[in-house]
Amino acid sequence: MVTSSIKTLEGSISCSPELPQGSVGYVRPQSLFFDEPLPLSSGQVLPSYTLAFETYGQLNADASNAVLICHALNASHHVAGLYENETKSTGWWDNMVGPGKAVDTDRFFVIGVNNIGSCFGSTGPASPHPITGKPWGAEFPVLTVEDWVLAQARLADYLGIEKFAAVMGGSLGGMQALSWAISCPERVANCVVIASTPRLSAQNIAFNEVARSAILSDPQFHGGNYYEHGVVPQAGLAVARMVGHITYQSDTVMAEKFGRTQRAPAEDGGYHYGYGVEFEVESYLRYQGEKFSRYFDANTYLIITRALDYFDPARPYQGDLNKALEGVQANFLVVSFTTDWRFSPERSREIVQALLKNKHRVSYAEIDAPHGHDAFLLEDARYHAVVQGYYDQIAATLGLGTRQRTTGVLAA
Amino acid sequence: MVTSSIKTLEGSISCSPELPQGSVGYVRPQSLFFDEPLPLSSGQVLPSYTLAFETYGQLNADASNAVLICHALNASHHVAGLYENETKSTGWWDNMVGPGKAVDTDRFFVIGVNNIGSCFGSTGPASPHPITGKPWGAEFPVLTVEDWVLAQARLADYLGIEKFAAVMGGSLGGMQALSWAISCPERVANCVVIASTPRLSAQNIAFNEVARSAILSDPQFHGGNYYEHGVVPQAGLAVARMVGHITYQSDTVMAEKFGRTQRAPAEDGGYHYGYGVEFEVESYLRYQGEKFSRYFDANTYLIITRALDYFDPARPYQGDLNKALEGVQANFLVVSFTTDWRFSPERSREIVQALLKNKHRVSYAEIDAPHGHDAFLLEDARYHAVVQGYYDQIAATLGLGTRQRTTGVLAA
């Protein structure tokens, strides 16, 4: 039995007149402590843990309108709305989730949850070890997508949600949605998998390995126990982020955004002939890397990239994805983006084919968008219309009523 | 006037019965010292320098059969043949250059030259500064493709070659060939540009910047003066090489070579749940990175990636490549490979279009090959046949006689 306590369930949502139309308003994270051990894929056990989460909208009487949003590499439970604190930070999928938006919080009760291993509120390598009280550091267990799903399922239990109207995510979040449909088939009515893949390719793993090598070889990493040295492997983490960033964008979009524009040409309009920032794209990458290395935890980066590498639901079936998806009960929406070379449309089509092979219901949209993998986070009318249409259908099926307002990009 | 001396012009070529058919045989590098200062694009001057080079075949009486081969990032003047020393190392383009091969040393006098800034024999950042006697280190000037061409032209002067039958290169070597045709139009009869580009894209520069960041942030780099500390920034250089390696290969070839194969599965056939080598592709990348970091110089890596970034012959013409190629006199062969996503066929076609616009003679081949950018170094019958056909035509035009034998992949 889960014994748990919500630490900061206050305020939840408040609206103020200056908020943009379609925002869920000001939100506050909540936090739930589980003192039931979590058995992990690795065979290790996490003795206890906290999950940080946020909710938007109201859970209906029969708890049939819940939507779980799973996050990708560097995101968190802060999916929508605004923080009232000095960060004023907006949820990472605020353009997708809100009253009248594609995932309409007038009708759906939406949950964002931070994965264990993260550094944004849920228990992770920087959290105190329950016995020593010192940060877990290198001792924190390696996690899998399946571990995250198990932890999320306990949160669903606590919130009284037996079956989700939808589990949804992009990229690594899409893997979690897929994993939910496989491991808890009776708990997922709809599965929305965006810009994702049923498994990483060798090239995907290779990029992750470059990122990890940069972190592991940073002398400030101290074998993962940098917390006690009062340092962080900032340089390694910055390089890791830089290489990641390149893979999130299409060649075309980088060409359009940066081209070969110089940051600040020399006096004669020429080059500086040095190894500092010469081109805009270098400035952008260095900025992104440096910013990331100030707020993200290096051990979390290792955990998340490894979970990506390890995800392979067809593995127990000798690589047969058809077999892996045989028992799912959810209906699916699968979305990919033409210029996404990290998780290309071909990867999404593998999922679609395996679902069709099993005669499952699946809608598939390949969105012609220039932004590469990042497209799943961006506003794109066609993309959002597809998701909105799908959720309207879910609402109709579940008798959640019709859309009362249309906001955001969809109203444009 | 160039005052120069050949330091080790001995032996040149000897044949032994166990050599593979089509080999130019055992070769020895030569080395030429120039005490004439070299003015550089940056405005700096290299007071004196040495060029390491190798030659294969015989220069004919009117010096009309010379071919200059320019090298790419990590290669050298050792283009063909074998070293008799313990390395037994084979030239990097041995499958292309030799008696009866595509570039037929029975008819052509082929020169491989190591670029200044390198770490394989020509003057570079590890060489002693002529005044202090200590390694140049961070003081070594930033170089451009144009600087290399100027240095190579002086070697040509010394060897008595007024006009090359062909200047040829792949990748960065292709940029040098193109630059030769632009800056010394009357000295290049044919220009062979393989798997290259008229300028790096933002994505290309971004990958270079990741590599440089890994090196620059390695504490062992010591601002470029690691020589005097008795260390090398091995970790940074390894990461740089790893990221480079990914871009040289196609996603498809990595999938075929490595897939998701585990290096040594755990006892139960499962994962190890750690950050050591789990997948074959990780093992491969780490090996490549580690190997590279033991023989390559970090400052050289910076110099070469920057020269790549800076190359942009259309820059003086506000980006108009047509204008940049207006004055070339050479005939061109341009070759690209379908799966090369580093320098894609589109980039080669830009060169071809600009040449056609100027009514220059150009042959273009887009080779359907799975190996990505690396394809230019590999044996591929169609690719080598295209190059061979082109060189046979050059030989016919110059009256160098007909092919006496056909060896290597072409004879298969």
PDB file of all heavy atoms in Angstrom, chain A residues 178 191-197 331-337 345 347-353 355 361-367 386-387 390:
ATOM      1  N   LEU A 178       3.989   5.273 -24.995  1.00  0.00           N
ATOM      2  CA  LEU A 178       3.966   3.947 -25.630  1.00  0.00           C
ATOM      3  C   LEU A 178       4.134   2.848 -24.583  1.00  0.00           C
ATOM      4  O   LEU A 178       3.438   1.817 -24.598  1.00  0.00           O
ATOM      5  CB  LEU A 178       5.086   3.883 -26.673  1.00  0.00           C
ATOM      6  CG  LEU A 178       5.175   2.648 -27.576  1.00  0.00           C
ATOM      7  CD1 LEU A 178       3.902   2.465 -28.384  1.00  0.00           C
ATOM      8  CD2 LEU A 178       6.379   2.769 -28.526  1.00  0.00           C
ATOM      9  N   CYS A 191      -3.456   6.779 -26.614  1.00  0.00           N
ATOM     10  CA  CYS A 191      -2.013   6.961 -26.486  1.00  0.00           C
ATOM     11  C   CYS A 191      -1.562   7.915 -27.593  1.00  0.00           C
ATOM     12  O   CYS A 191      -1.790   7.650 -28.779  1.00  0.00           O
ATOM     13  CB  CYS A 191      -1.347   5.586 -26.626  1.00  0.00           C
ATOM     14  SG  CYS A 191       0.421   5.634 -26.381  1.00  0.00           S
ATOM     15  N   VAL A 192      -0.954   9.014 -27.193  1.00  0.00           N
ATOM     16  CA  VAL A 192      -0.548  10.029 -28.173  1.00  0.00           C
ATOM     17  C   VAL A 192       0.983  10.111 -28.178  1.00  0.00           C
ATOM     18  O   VAL A 192       1.591  10.560 -27.203  1.00  0.00           O
ATOM     19  CB  VAL A 192      -1.182  11.393 -27.849  1.00  0.00           C
ATOM     20  CG1 VAL A 192      -0.782  12.424 -28.899  1.00  0.00           C
ATOM     21  CG2 VAL A 192      -2.702  11.266 -27.769  1.00  0.00           C
ATOM     22  N   VAL A 193       1.562   9.655 -29.252  1.00  0.00           N
ATOM     23  CA  VAL A 193       3.023   9.504 -29.360  1.00  0.00           C
ATOM     24  C   VAL A 193       3.535  10.459 -30.434  1.00  0.00           C
ATOM     25  O   VAL A 193       3.260  10.284 -31.616  1.00  0.00           O
ATOM     26  CB  VAL A 193       3.380   8.051 -29.731  1.00  0.00           C
ATOM     27  CG1 VAL A 193       4.889   7.892 -29.870  1.00  0.00           C
ATOM     28  CG2 VAL A 193       2.823   7.079 -28.693  1.00  0.00           C
ATOM     29  N   ILE A 194       4.296  11.449 -30.029  1.00  0.00           N
ATOM     30  CA  ILE A 194       4.704  12.515 -30.944  1.00  0.00           C
ATOM     31  C   ILE A 194       6.226  12.556 -31.094  1.00  0.00           C
ATOM     32  O   ILE A 194       6.954  12.524 -30.097  1.00  0.00           O
ATOM     33  CB  ILE A 194       4.167  13.876 -30.440  1.00  0.00           C
ATOM     34  CG1 ILE A 194       2.637  13.811 -30.338  1.00  0.00           C
ATOM     35  CG2 ILE A 194       4.598  15.010 -31.353  1.00  0.00           C
ATOM     36  CD1 ILE A 194       2.002  15.036 -29.718  1.00  0.00           C
ATOM     37  N   ALA A 195       6.684  12.639 -32.326  1.00  0.00           N
ATOM     38  CA  ALA A 195       8.130  12.780 -32.608  1.00  0.00           C
ATOM     39  C   ALA A 195       8.949  11.781 -31.811  1.00  0.00           C
ATOM     40  O   ALA A 195       9.947  12.133 -31.190  1.00  0.00           O
ATOM     41  CB  ALA A 195       8.591  14.206 -32.315  1.00  0.00           C
ATOM     42  N   SER A 196       8.534  10.550 -31.852  1.00  0.00           N
ATOM     43  CA  SER A 196       9.190   9.553 -31.020  1.00  0.00           C
ATOM     44  C   SER A 196       9.680   8.365 -31.860  1.00  0.00           C
ATOM     45  O   SER A 196       9.733   8.446 -33.096  1.00  0.00           O
ATOM     46  CB  SER A 196       8.240   9.106 -29.921  1.00  0.00           C
ATOM     47  OG  SER A 196       8.940   8.401 -28.916  1.00  0.00           O
ATOM     48  N   THR A 197      10.037   7.312 -31.199  1.00  0.00           N
ATOM     49  CA  THR A 197      10.610   6.151 -31.866  1.00  0.00           C
ATOM     50  C   THR A 197      10.418   4.919 -30.985  1.00  0.00           C
ATOM     51  O   THR A 197      10.403   5.050 -29.753  1.00  0.00           O
ATOM     52  CB  THR A 197      12.122   6.378 -32.142  1.00  0.00           C
ATOM     53  OG1 THR A 197      12.691   5.163 -32.652  1.00  0.00           O
ATOM     54  CG2 THR A 197      12.869   6.754 -30.882  1.00  0.00           C
ATOM     55  N   ASN A 331      -6.405   3.333 -28.264  1.00  0.00           N
ATOM     56  CA  ASN A 331      -6.345   3.903 -29.609  1.00  0.00           C
ATOM     57  C   ASN A 331      -5.141   4.833 -29.655  1.00  0.00           C
ATOM     58  O   ASN A 331      -4.762   5.410 -28.636  1.00  0.00           O
ATOM     59  CB  ASN A 331      -7.612   4.703 -29.910  1.00  0.00           C
ATOM     60  CG  ASN A 331      -8.842   3.816 -29.878  1.00  0.00           C
ATOM     61  OD1 ASN A 331      -8.786   2.627 -30.195  1.00  0.00           O
ATOM     62  ND2 ASN A 331      -9.972   4.400 -29.471  1.00  0.00           N
ATOM     63  N   PHE A 332      -4.579   4.988 -30.831  1.00  0.00           N
ATOM     64  CA  PHE A 332      -3.331   5.758 -30.944  1.00  0.00           C
ATOM     65  C   PHE A 332      -3.457   6.959 -31.873  1.00  0.00           C
ATOM     66  O   PHE A 332      -4.112   6.888 -32.921  1.00  0.00           O
ATOM     67  CB  PHE A 332      -2.204   4.875 -31.504  1.00  0.00           C
ATOM     68  CG  PHE A 332      -1.477   4.082 -30.460  1.00  0.00           C
ATOM     69  CD1 PHE A 332      -2.070   2.989 -29.850  1.00  0.00           C
ATOM     70  CD2 PHE A 332      -0.186   4.437 -30.069  1.00  0.00           C
ATOM     71  CE1 PHE A 332      -1.400   2.244 -28.892  1.00  0.00           C
ATOM     72  CE2 PHE A 332       0.497   3.703 -29.110  1.00  0.00           C
ATOM     73  CZ  PHE A 332      -0.103   2.617 -28.522  1.00  0.00           C
ATOM     74  N   LEU A 333      -2.782   8.017 -31.474  1.00  0.00           N
ATOM     75  CA  LEU A 333      -2.433   9.084 -32.417  1.00  0.00           C
ATOM     76  C   LEU A 333      -0.908   9.145 -32.455  1.00  0.00           C
ATOM     77  O   LEU A 333      -0.269   9.311 -31.411  1.00  0.00           O
ATOM     78  CB  LEU A 333      -2.999  10.438 -31.970  1.00  0.00           C
ATOM     79  CG  LEU A 333      -2.488  11.643 -32.785  1.00  0.00           C
ATOM     80  CD1 LEU A 333      -2.917  11.554 -34.253  1.00  0.00           C
ATOM     81  CD2 LEU A 333      -2.955  12.970 -32.165  1.00  0.00           C
ATOM     82  N   VAL A 334      -0.353   8.987 -33.638  1.00  0.00           N
ATOM     83  CA  VAL A 334       1.098   9.075 -33.820  1.00  0.00           C
ATOM     84  C   VAL A 334       1.375  10.260 -34.741  1.00  0.00           C
ATOM     85  O   VAL A 334       0.733  10.392 -35.788  1.00  0.00           O
ATOM     86  CB  VAL A 334       1.663   7.771 -34.414  1.00  0.00           C
ATOM     87  CG1 VAL A 334       3.167   7.880 -34.645  1.00  0.00           C
ATOM     88  CG2 VAL A 334       1.355   6.584 -33.492  1.00  0.00           C
ATOM     89  N   VAL A 335       2.292  11.114 -34.325  1.00  0.00           N
ATOM     90  CA  VAL A 335       2.624  12.308 -35.122  1.00  0.00           C
ATOM     91  C   VAL A 335       4.139  12.383 -35.318  1.00  0.00           C
ATOM     92  O   VAL A 335       4.901  12.168 -34.378  1.00  0.00           O
ATOM     93  CB  VAL A 335       2.137  13.605 -34.419  1.00  0.00           C
ATOM     94  CG1 VAL A 335       2.480  14.832 -35.256  1.00  0.00           C
ATOM     95  CG2 VAL A 335       0.639  13.562 -34.141  1.00  0.00           C
ATOM     96  N   SER A 336       4.540  12.659 -36.542  1.00  0.00           N
ATOM     97  CA  SER A 336       5.968  12.883 -36.801  1.00  0.00           C
ATOM     98  C   SER A 336       6.134  14.150 -37.638  1.00  0.00           C
ATOM     99  O   SER A 336       5.154  14.698 -38.146  1.00  0.00           O
ATOM    100  CB  SER A 336       6.564  11.683 -37.536  1.00  0.00           C
ATOM    101  OG  SER A 336       6.076  11.638 -38.863  1.00  0.00           O
ATOM    102  N   PHE A 337       7.378  14.575 -37.771  1.00  0.00           N
ATOM    103  CA  PHE A 337       7.666  15.817 -38.505  1.00  0.00           C
ATOM    104  C   PHE A 337       8.701  15.537 -39.593  1.00  0.00           C
ATOM    105  O   PHE A 337       9.737  14.914 -39.319  1.00  0.00           O
ATOM    106  CB  PHE A 337       8.171  16.898 -37.537  1.00  0.00           C
ATOM    107  CG  PHE A 337       7.166  17.222 -36.477  1.00  0.00           C
ATOM    108  CD1 PHE A 337       7.182  16.548 -35.262  1.00  0.00           C
ATOM    109  CD2 PHE A 337       6.151  18.142 -36.713  1.00  0.00           C
ATOM    110  CE1 PHE A 337       6.234  16.812 -34.286  1.00  0.00           C
ATOM    111  CE2 PHE A 337       5.198  18.411 -35.748  1.00  0.00           C
ATOM    112  CZ  PHE A 337       5.231  17.743 -34.527  1.00  0.00           C
ATOM    113  N   PRO A 345      10.326  10.444 -39.367  1.00  0.00           N
ATOM    114  CA  PRO A 345       9.001   9.865 -39.632  1.00  0.00           C
ATOM    115  C   PRO A 345       9.067   8.348 -39.820  1.00  0.00           C
ATOM    116  O   PRO A 345       8.132   7.639 -39.426  1.00  0.00           O
ATOM    117  CB  PRO A 345       8.571  10.572 -40.919  1.00  0.00           C
ATOM    118  CG  PRO A 345       9.234  11.906 -40.844  1.00  0.00           C
ATOM    119  CD  PRO A 345      10.576  11.639 -40.204  1.00  0.00           C
ATOM    120  N   ARG A 347      10.682   6.234 -38.215  1.00  0.00           N
ATOM    121  CA  ARG A 347      10.587   5.586 -36.898  1.00  0.00           C
ATOM    122  C   ARG A 347       9.140   5.563 -36.417  1.00  0.00           C
ATOM    123  O   ARG A 347       8.685   4.565 -35.864  1.00  0.00           O
ATOM    124  CB  ARG A 347      11.442   6.340 -35.867  1.00  0.00           C
ATOM    125  CG  ARG A 347      12.922   6.423 -36.187  1.00  0.00           C
ATOM    126  CD  ARG A 347      13.676   5.173 -35.802  1.00  0.00           C
ATOM    127  NE  ARG A 347      13.699   4.203 -36.876  1.00  0.00           N
ATOM    128  CZ  ARG A 347      14.519   4.230 -37.928  1.00  0.00           C
ATOM    129  NH1 ARG A 347      15.380   5.211 -38.073  1.00  0.00           N
ATOM    130  NH2 ARG A 347      14.476   3.295 -38.842  1.00  0.00           N
ATOM    131  N   SER A 348       8.429   6.670 -36.617  1.00  0.00           N
ATOM    132  CA  SER A 348       7.021   6.708 -36.218  1.00  0.00           C
ATOM    133  C   SER A 348       6.209   5.715 -37.039  1.00  0.00           C
ATOM    134  O   SER A 348       5.300   5.056 -36.521  1.00  0.00           O
ATOM    135  CB  SER A 348       6.435   8.116 -36.418  1.00  0.00           C
ATOM    136  OG  SER A 348       6.895   8.980 -35.405  1.00  0.00           O
ATOM    137  N   ARG A 349       6.557   5.596 -38.312  1.00  0.00           N
ATOM    138  CA  ARG A 349       5.805   4.676 -39.173  1.00  0.00           C
ATOM    139  C   ARG A 349       6.001   3.228 -38.737  1.00  0.00           C
ATOM    140  O   ARG A 349       5.127   2.404 -38.932  1.00  0.00           O
ATOM    141  CB  ARG A 349       6.204   4.880 -40.643  1.00  0.00           C
ATOM    142  CG  ARG A 349       5.606   6.162 -41.239  1.00  0.00           C
ATOM    143  CD  ARG A 349       5.632   6.141 -42.764  1.00  0.00           C
ATOM    144  NE  ARG A 349       6.988   6.128 -43.282  1.00  0.00           N
ATOM    145  CZ  ARG A 349       7.678   7.216 -43.658  1.00  0.00           C
ATOM    146  NH1 ARG A 349       7.125   8.412 -43.576  1.00  0.00           N
ATOM    147  NH2 ARG A 349       8.903   7.111 -44.114  1.00  0.00           N
ATOM    148  N   GLU A 350       7.157   2.939 -38.122  1.00  0.00           N
ATOM    149  CA  GLU A 350       7.342   1.583 -37.577  1.00  0.00           C
ATOM    150  C   GLU A 350       6.293   1.288 -36.510  1.00  0.00           C
ATOM    151  O   GLU A 350       5.748   0.181 -36.450  1.00  0.00           O
ATOM    152  CB  GLU A 350       8.732   1.446 -36.943  1.00  0.00           C
ATOM    153  CG  GLU A 350       9.869   1.342 -37.940  1.00  0.00           C
ATOM    154  CD  GLU A 350      11.222   1.234 -37.225  1.00  0.00           C
ATOM    155  OE1 GLU A 350      11.342   0.458 -36.262  1.00  0.00           O
ATOM    156  OE2 GLU A 350      12.152   1.961 -37.629  1.00  0.00           O
ATOM    157  N   ILE A 351       6.037   2.281 -35.668  1.00  0.00           N
ATOM    158  CA  ILE A 351       5.015   2.107 -34.626  1.00  0.00           C
ATOM    159  C   ILE A 351       3.645   1.919 -35.268  1.00  0.00           C
ATOM    160  O   ILE A 351       2.890   1.005 -34.922  1.00  0.00           O
ATOM    161  CB  ILE A 351       4.986   3.332 -33.676  1.00  0.00           C
ATOM    162  CG1 ILE A 351       6.350   3.517 -33.004  1.00  0.00           C
ATOM    163  CG2 ILE A 351       3.875   3.198 -32.638  1.00  0.00           C
ATOM    164  CD1 ILE A 351       6.481   4.810 -32.194  1.00  0.00           C
ATOM    165  N   VAL A 352       3.352   2.781 -36.238  1.00  0.00           N
ATOM    166  CA  VAL A 352       2.049   2.724 -36.916  1.00  0.00           C
ATOM    167  C   VAL A 352       1.853   1.365 -37.591  1.00  0.00           C
ATOM    168  O   VAL A 352       0.792   0.729 -37.449  1.00  0.00           O
ATOM    169  CB  VAL A 352       1.929   3.872 -37.945  1.00  0.00           C
ATOM    170  CG1 VAL A 352       0.660   3.735 -38.773  1.00  0.00           C
ATOM    171  CG2 VAL A 352       1.955   5.219 -37.230  1.00  0.00           C
ATOM    172  N   GLN A 353       2.873   0.911 -38.278  1.00  0.00           N
ATOM    173  CA  GLN A 353       2.767  -0.385 -38.980  1.00  0.00           C
ATOM    174  C   GLN A 353       2.496  -1.523 -38.008  1.00  0.00           C
ATOM    175  O   GLN A 353       1.668  -2.394 -38.261  1.00  0.00           O
ATOM    176  CB  GLN A 353       4.055  -0.681 -39.761  1.00  0.00           C
ATOM    177  CG  GLN A 353       4.289   0.193 -40.990  1.00  0.00           C
ATOM    178  CD  GLN A 353       3.161   0.083 -42.027  1.00  0.00           C
ATOM    179  OE1 GLN A 353       2.480  -0.929 -42.112  1.00  0.00           O
ATOM    180  NE2 GLN A 353       2.938   1.158 -42.769  1.00  0.00           N
ATOM    181  N   LEU A 355       1.118  -1.328 -35.114  1.00  0.00           N
ATOM    182  CA  LEU A 355      -0.249  -1.209 -34.579  1.00  0.00           C
ATOM    183  C   LEU A 355      -1.260  -1.724 -35.594  1.00  0.00           C
ATOM    184  O   LEU A 355      -2.191  -2.468 -35.248  1.00  0.00           O
ATOM    185  CB  LEU A 355      -0.547   0.249 -34.216  1.00  0.00           C
ATOM    186  CG  LEU A 355       0.205   0.804 -32.998  1.00  0.00           C
ATOM    187  CD1 LEU A 355       0.100   2.319 -32.932  1.00  0.00           C
ATOM    188  CD2 LEU A 355      -0.334   0.176 -31.701  1.00  0.00           C
ATOM    189  N   ARG A 361      -6.521   0.579 -33.524  1.00  0.00           N
ATOM    190  CA  ARG A 361      -6.930   1.827 -34.168  1.00  0.00           C
ATOM    191  C   ARG A 361      -5.822   2.865 -34.018  1.00  0.00           C
ATOM    192  O   ARG A 361      -5.403   3.176 -32.914  1.00  0.00           O
ATOM    193  CB  ARG A 361      -8.229   2.347 -33.542  1.00  0.00           C
ATOM    194  CG  ARG A 361      -9.438   1.476 -33.904  1.00  0.00           C
ATOM    195  CD  ARG A 361     -10.715   2.090 -33.389  1.00  0.00           C
ATOM    196  NE  ARG A 361     -10.956   3.392 -33.981  1.00  0.00           N
ATOM    197  CZ  ARG A 361     -11.986   4.175 -33.639  1.00  0.00           C
ATOM    198  NH1 ARG A 361     -12.837   3.785 -32.711  1.00  0.00           N
ATOM    199  NH2 ARG A 361     -12.154   5.340 -34.227  1.00  0.00           N
ATOM    200  N   VAL A 362      -5.386   3.398 -35.130  1.00  0.00           N
ATOM    201  CA  VAL A 362      -4.322   4.390 -35.074  1.00  0.00           C
ATOM    202  C   VAL A 362      -4.534   5.484 -36.119  1.00  0.00           C
ATOM    203  O   VAL A 362      -4.901   5.197 -37.262  1.00  0.00           O
ATOM    204  CB  VAL A 362      -2.928   3.715 -35.259  1.00  0.00           C
ATOM    205  CG1 VAL A 362      -2.888   2.869 -36.508  1.00  0.00           C
ATOM    206  CG2 VAL A 362      -1.803   4.744 -35.285  1.00  0.00           C
ATOM    207  N   SER A 363      -4.363   6.714 -35.680  1.00  0.00           N
ATOM    208  CA  SER A 363      -4.330   7.851 -36.608  1.00  0.00           C
ATOM    209  C   SER A 363      -2.880   8.284 -36.710  1.00  0.00           C
ATOM    210  O   SER A 363      -2.166   8.333 -35.702  1.00  0.00           O
ATOM    211  CB  SER A 363      -5.157   9.018 -36.064  1.00  0.00           C
ATOM    212  OG  SER A 363      -6.485   8.609 -35.818  1.00  0.00           O
ATOM    213  N   TYR A 364      -2.446   8.592 -37.915  1.00  0.00           N
ATOM    214  CA  TYR A 364      -1.060   9.005 -38.099  1.00  0.00           C
ATOM    215  C   TYR A 364      -0.997  10.298 -38.904  1.00  0.00           C
ATOM    216  O   TYR A 364      -1.635  10.412 -39.949  1.00  0.00           O
ATOM    217  CB  TYR A 364      -0.261   7.907 -38.813  1.00  0.00           C
ATOM    218  CG  TYR A 364       1.155   8.323 -39.167  1.00  0.00           C
ATOM    219  CD1 TYR A 364       2.039   8.727 -38.167  1.00  0.00           C
ATOM    220  CD2 TYR A 364       1.605   8.327 -40.479  1.00  0.00           C
ATOM    221  CE1 TYR A 364       3.326   9.118 -38.467  1.00  0.00           C
ATOM    222  CE2 TYR A 364       2.896   8.712 -40.794  1.00  0.00           C
ATOM    223  CZ  TYR A 364       3.757   9.101 -39.783  1.00  0.00           C
ATOM    224  OH  TYR A 364       5.042   9.496 -40.084  1.00  0.00           O
ATOM    225  N   ALA A 365      -0.225  11.237 -38.403  1.00  0.00           N
ATOM    226  CA  ALA A 365      -0.028  12.487 -39.143  1.00  0.00           C
ATOM    227  C   ALA A 365       1.460  12.763 -39.285  1.00  0.00           C
ATOM    228  O   ALA A 365       2.207  12.713 -38.299  1.00  0.00           O
ATOM    229  CB  ALA A 365      -0.699  13.642 -38.411  1.00  0.00           C
ATOM    230  N   GLU A 366       1.891  12.995 -40.511  1.00  0.00           N
ATOM    231  CA  GLU A 366       3.277  13.389 -40.756  1.00  0.00           C
ATOM    232  C   GLU A 366       3.223  14.860 -41.136  1.00  0.00           C
ATOM    233  O   GLU A 366       2.766  15.219 -42.217  1.00  0.00           O
ATOM    234  CB  GLU A 366       3.836  12.522 -41.891  1.00  0.00           C
ATOM    235  CG  GLU A 366       5.336  12.541 -41.984  1.00  0.00           C
ATOM    236  CD  GLU A 366       5.862  11.432 -42.906  1.00  0.00           C
ATOM    237  OE1 GLU A 366       5.484  10.256 -42.726  1.00  0.00           O
ATOM    238  OE2 GLU A 366       6.617  11.768 -43.825  1.00  0.00           O
ATOM    239  N   ILE A 367       3.678  15.687 -40.222  1.00  0.00           N
ATOM    240  CA  ILE A 367       3.526  17.129 -40.404  1.00  0.00           C
ATOM    241  C   ILE A 367       4.725  17.690 -41.177  1.00  0.00           C
ATOM    242  O   ILE A 367       5.880  17.473 -40.791  1.00  0.00           O
ATOM    243  CB  ILE A 367       3.427  17.847 -39.036  1.00  0.00           C
ATOM    244  CG1 ILE A 367       2.336  17.219 -38.158  1.00  0.00           C
ATOM    245  CG2 ILE A 367       3.220  19.345 -39.229  1.00  0.00           C
ATOM    246  CD1 ILE A 367       0.931  17.512 -38.560  1.00  0.00           C
ATOM    247  N   VAL A 386      -4.400  18.789 -35.650  1.00  0.00           N
ATOM    248  CA  VAL A 386      -4.485  17.322 -35.627  1.00  0.00           C
ATOM    249  C   VAL A 386      -4.701  16.834 -34.197  1.00  0.00           C
ATOM    250  O   VAL A 386      -5.572  15.999 -33.926  1.00  0.00           O
ATOM    251  CB  VAL A 386      -3.191  16.692 -36.207  1.00  0.00           C
ATOM    252  CG1 VAL A 386      -3.080  15.212 -35.827  1.00  0.00           C
ATOM    253  CG2 VAL A 386      -3.148  16.849 -37.722  1.00  0.00           C
ATOM    254  N   VAL A 387      -3.904  17.383 -33.274  1.00  0.00           N
ATOM    255  CA  VAL A 387      -4.032  16.956 -31.869  1.00  0.00           C
ATOM    256  C   VAL A 387      -5.396  17.381 -31.319  1.00  0.00           C
ATOM    257  O   VAL A 387      -6.082  16.605 -30.642  1.00  0.00           O
ATOM    258  CB  VAL A 387      -2.886  17.545 -31.011  1.00  0.00           C
ATOM    259  CG1 VAL A 387      -3.059  17.160 -29.549  1.00  0.00           C
ATOM    260  CG2 VAL A 387      -1.534  17.057 -31.527  1.00  0.00           C
ATOM    261  N   TYR A 390      -8.101  15.171 -32.526  1.00  0.00           N
ATOM    262  CA  TYR A 390      -8.061  13.868 -31.850  1.00  0.00           C
ATOM    263  C   TYR A 390      -8.672  13.968 -30.450  1.00  0.00           C
ATOM    264  O   TYR A 390      -9.461  13.116 -30.035  1.00  0.00           O
ATOM    265  CB  TYR A 390      -6.615  13.354 -31.786  1.00  0.00           C
ATOM    266  CG  TYR A 390      -6.529  11.909 -31.386  1.00  0.00           C
ATOM    267  CD1 TYR A 390      -6.772  10.892 -32.316  1.00  0.00           C
ATOM    268  CD2 TYR A 390      -6.244  11.530 -30.077  1.00  0.00           C
ATOM    269  CE1 TYR A 390      -6.719   9.548 -31.948  1.00  0.00           C
ATOM    270  CE2 TYR A 390      -6.184  10.202 -29.702  1.00  0.00           C
ATOM    271  CZ  TYR A 390      -6.415   9.206 -30.642  1.00  0.00           C
ATOM    272  OH  TYR A 390      -6.367   7.891 -30.269  1.00  0.00           O
TER     273      TYR A 390
END
